Amino acid sequence: VVYSGVKEFFAPINEIDKANVRAKFASGKEYFVYVGSVNPRKNVANILWAFDLFKTQSGSDIKLVIAGAKGWKTSEIFDVWNQMKFKTEVVFTGRLQEAELVQVLAAAQASLYPSLFEGFGVPPLEAMACGVPVITSNVSSLPEISGDAALYVSPQNVPDIAAKITALATNSHLRASLIQKGFAHYKQYTWDRTAHLLWQSCLK
């Protein structure tokens, strides 16, 4: 098996840069981030429902940043957004250039990626490379790719997603543990290793 790799420019940023990113995108507040296309396969509607439930239950001032271009069949997603109690706490950035995307990802409290299906699923690894803990799905390829370095949810279970968000918002020890596991884990997925494995497969 030859896996994809993580681009080397995904890396942590300093606290001053984090503060600047929060000021630009989240009114200076902490935030969770989803990175990817806005389409049904990515389960964005359930991210929105879960975030609304988290806000209702916790009273937290944490925001949600959706960083990605609109994809196909977005009407349901924006119908959900319009029904949210805390829809003003959701920021849609649209598609970002890579340099800004790295900063938006690296400044987040956590990455939310409860996708319904992935052939590989590189965004959780990119978050790990940036020192950001990950919540992702317990289905498709995502457990194989993320190993023990993520919190897993049932993607169709909104209360489960909300509970994991709450866990990362309130448990600093859990966040720190996932960050350390993520740093160790993502290093298995380099393009050098991909090239080596591909070359070895060609020699067989």
Side-chain angles (χ1 to χ4, degrees):
V1 177
V2 179
Y3 293 108
S4 296
V6 178
K7 294 179 180 178
E8 292 182 357
F9 56 72
F10 283 96
I13 61 176
N14 62 47
E15 293 302 320
I16 293 175
D17 286 341
K18 287 181 182 180
N20 289 336
V21 173
R22 289 194 293 265
K24 180 174 181 179
F25 289 96
S27 304
K29 304 293 185 181
E30 300 281 358
Y31 62 88
F32 299 105
V33 69
Y34 161 76
V35 173
S37 175
V38 180
N39 69 60
R41 179 172 66 84
K42 301 294 187 177
N43 207 26
V44 177
N46 278 347
I47 293 175
L48 296 174
W49 283 132
F51 178 72
D52 217 33
L53 180 58
F54 158 74
K55 294 281 285 187
T56 299
Q57 293 175 337
S58 68
S60 170
D61 64 355
I62 294 177
K63 292 179 176 286
L64 172 63
V65 173
I66 306 289
K70 291 181 183 179
W72 41 275
K73 294 186 178 180
T74 59
S75 59
E76 176 191 349
I77 295 166
F78 286 97
D79 285 346
V80 170
W81 177 75
N82 277 315
Q83 295 175 59
M84 290 178 66
K85 181 179 178 181
F86 294 96
K87 69 178 183 180
T88 59
E89 300 296 286
V90 180
V91 178
F92 290 91
T93 69
R95 185 176 180 84
L96 299 173
Q97 296 298 313
E98 285 185 333
E100 194 164 47
L101 176 64
V102 171
Q103 293 218 321
V104 168
L105 180 56
Q109 278 286 94
S111 168
L112 310 182
Y113 203 75
S115 179
L116 296 171
F117 177 82
E118 294 294 325
F120 178 74
V122 73
L125 297 175
E126 292 169 345
M128 292 174 194
C130 290
V132 174
V134 172
I135 297 171
T136 193
S137 294
N138 61 4
V139 299
S140 189
S141 63
L142 291 161
E144 178 181 353
I145 298 306
S146 300
D148 69 347
L151 282 186
Y152 291 101
V153 295
S154 172
Q156 301 284 20
N157 188 330
V158 169
D160 187 23
I161 301 170
K164 295 305 192 302
I165 292 173
T166 300
L168 283 183
T170 58
N171 189 330
S172 60
H173 294 293
L174 176 61
R175 290 190 72 256
S177 174
L178 287 173
I179 289 168
Q180 290 306 312
K181 287 179 179 179
F183 277 140
H185 184 73
Y186 91 89
K187 292 175 182 176
Q188 300 176 57
Y189 299 93
T190 68
W191 283 111
D192 282 345
R193 183 166 185 259
T194 299
H196 172 74
L197 291 173
L198 182 60
W199 178 247
Q200 292 301 312
S201 73
C202 293
L203 296 178
K204 293 180 180 179

